[in-house]
């Protein structure tokens, strides 16, 4: 980790680089792109990738902008709850 912060343009470039590496399953490259970042820059890159993903999911679903982000959040939360339920198994009682 370094204390040198990236510029906004460099942070945007880092987001795109992570997406490209992830698309090609180059996990070591993703690690190299993220590990040296100071915490604030890491959070910015993760949020940038998340925002891109939400936009892509909303666009693919053909949702209008005012409701798109909340609908994507609902889908993601539902997925998280289903995954948790699968790991925990049937509830007692």
């Amino acid at each position: 980790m370094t204390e040198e912060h990236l510029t906004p343009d460099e942070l945007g470039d880092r987001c795109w680089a992570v997406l490209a590496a992830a698309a090609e399953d180059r996990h070591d490259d993703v690690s190299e792109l993220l590990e040296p970042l100071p915490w604030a820059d890491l959070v910015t890159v993760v949020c940038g990738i998340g925002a891109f993903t939400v936009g892509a999911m909303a666009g693919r679903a053909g949702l209008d902008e005012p409701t798109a982000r909340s609908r994507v959040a609902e889908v993601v939360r539902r997925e998280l709850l289903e995954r948790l339920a699968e790991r925990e198994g049937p509830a007692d009682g």
Side-chain angles (χ1 to χ4, degrees):
M1 183 178 295
T2 180
E3 293 302 315
E4 183 179 334
H5 290 277
L6 300 179
T7 67
D9 285 341
E10 291 171 328
L11 288 167
D13 293 346
R14 191 65 57 107
C15 291
W16 286 107
V18 169
L19 286 168
E24 297 172 338
D25 288 327
R26 293 185 287 122
H27 301 278
D28 289 341
D29 290 344
V30 171
S31 180
E32 287 182 27
L33 288 163
L34 296 178
E35 282 180 8
L37 296 178
W39 181 251
D41 284 356
L42 178 61
V43 170
T44 299
V45 169
V46 170
C47 287
I49 292 168
F52 173 82
T53 303
V54 167
M57 290 174 73
R60 191 175 71 210
L63 301 171
D64 61 327
E65 185 57 34
T67 60
R69 294 173 94 62
S70 62
R71 293 288 306 272
V72 170
E74 289 174 24
V75 169
V76 170
R77 282 189 195 97
R78 188 175 329 118
E79 177 68 24
L80 285 168
L81 289 172
E82 289 173 6
R83 292 169 60 91
L84 179 61
E86 288 174 4
R87 284 194 303 274
E88 290 182 348
D92 291 338

